[in-house]
């Protein structure tokens, strides 16, 4: 996934449903010039992420315990999501309404219905 992101990416990167924080921390390390925000509502993964980020000393990273459907996404340059198909279906409308032209959207495993991908990267895992 990280190889898909142009190295010249600027601005804010968000991880919608950041879980345990793994991808958000990788984004923050790879793009130290970008602000990275991980949104997570589940209490245990959220606190785990906060603790990991504290000990990892990644100043451009923050985790927010908030429902990302209630966050306006227009100020972001890259949006990453690894969510179940129902959430992806709901995100299509939100993305269509809020994302600016040129915003990079990376979806892991599950597609955004009605969107045509620019690139598909297949990996040898449970879901291919």
């Amino acid at each position: 996934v990280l190889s898909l992101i142009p190295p010249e990416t600027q601005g804010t990167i968000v991880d919608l449903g950041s879980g345990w924080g793994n991808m958000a921390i990788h984004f923050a390390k790879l793009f130290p010039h970008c602000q990275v925000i991980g949104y997570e509502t589940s209490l245990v993964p959220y606190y785990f992420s906060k603790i990991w980020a504290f000990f990892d000393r990644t100043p451009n990273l923050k985790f927010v315990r908030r429902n990302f459907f209630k966050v306006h996404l227009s100020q972001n340059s890259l949006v990453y999501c690894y969510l179940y198909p129902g959430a992806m279906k709901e995100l299509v409308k939100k993305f269509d309404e809020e994302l600016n032209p040129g915003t990079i959207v990376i979806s892991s495993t599950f597609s955004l219905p009605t969107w045509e991908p620019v690139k598909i990267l297949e990996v040898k895992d449970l879901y291919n």
Side-chain angles (χ1 to χ4, degrees), residues 33-105:
H33 55 281
C34 293
Q35 173 67 49
V36 178
I37 304 170
Y39 290 102
E40 180 56 52
T41 58
S42 297
L43 195 59
V44 174
Y46 166 74
Y47 280 116
F48 179 89
S49 300
K50 296 277 285 185
I51 292 167
W52 186 6
F54 174 79
F55 285 108
D56 203 59
R57 306 265 190 250
T58 314
N60 62 323
L61 171 65
K62 71 177 179 178
F63 289 100
V64 177
R65 187 164 184 247
R66 188 164 180 201
N67 182 339
F68 56 77
F69 281 105
K70 297 181 180 181
V71 174
H72 196 73
L73 299 175
S74 66
Q75 298 303 310
N76 303 300
S77 54
L78 187 143
V79 177
Y80 172 79
C81 46
Y82 177 24
L83 302 164
Y84 64 97
M88 299 304 287
K89 185 176 180 181
E90 290 180 48
L91 276 176
V92 169
K93 183 179 180 196
K94 183 171 182 63
F95 287 174
D96 286 342
E97 292 174 356
E98 297 178 14
L99 294 182
N100 292 321
T103 301
I104 298 169
V105 176

